[in-house]
Structures are given as structure tokens and as C-alpha cells.
Amino acid sequence: QVQLVESGGGSVEPGGSLTLSCSVSGNIFVMGWERQRPGTQREDVASITRLGTIEYANSVKGRFTISRDNEKNSILMQMDNLKPEDTAVYYCYAGPIKSDQGTPVTVSS
């Protein structure tokens, strides 16, 4: 059974940075992050394939950077210049497997 392990997140002031990490116990082609902001549905934030193809939501382009370690089946997402609207629960996914736990990120002064 494939398992996801997330870490990172927390609270930061606007303009600050946080890093999220996720590892999966298997070789999955596409990995990424979704987020669910208060009162909204989950939305895709960033994804990366084993070949290094990356996609970002328009709202995070230029601020978030996703990277991947294929040997460790893990991804990192560096989040810079965070804004209050980035406040959400962030969920890692690997292919069709999606985290149920999530990691909260709060951006507030």
C-alpha cells in the first residue's frame, strides 16, 4: 500500500518563507501539492513529474518552487513571499493517491 508522509508548514508573517516536503513509498510519475483555503474547494498548486516537467498555479508562479528527488521519491516545495491568501491546508499527492491529513500554512501579521 502506497503511503504519503508530509512535513513542514506552520505560521509565518506576510513576505516570509516556508518549505513543505512529501515522500511516497513508491515510484509515482507525478507528484505535487494541492491546497484548500477556508471556504473553498481543493485547488492544484504545483506538480512535477519524474522527468522534471513542472506546472504551477498562476497564483503562485514566481513565488513557489517545487523540486523532486527521484531516488528518494520525495518532493519539496519552497514557498517564498507568502501572502495571507496562501493561508490553507496543503495536501501532497502522488498520482491518484491524495493525502487526507494535510499540513496547515498560516500567513498572518
Side-chain angles (χ1 to χ4, degrees), residues 15-70:
S17 299
L18 289 171
T19 302
L20 303 181
S21 64
C22 176
S23 62
V24 61
S25 59
N27 184 347
I28 307 295
F29 186 69
V30 180
M31 295 183 67
W33 293 91
E34 295 177 328
R35 69 183 180 187
Q36 187 166 17
R37 293 183 279 188
T40 69
Q41 294 182 332
R42 282 198 195 187
E43 59 180 350
D44 200 45
V45 177
S47 64
I48 183 168
T49 72
R50 286 186 59 84
L51 301 179
T53 300
I54 293 173
E55 293 189 0
Y56 295 104
N58 287 333
S59 58
V60 306
K61 282 181 180 176
R63 300 187 299 119
F64 291 12
T65 303
I66 191 169
S67 60
R68 179 166 180 157
D69 185 332
N70 287 332

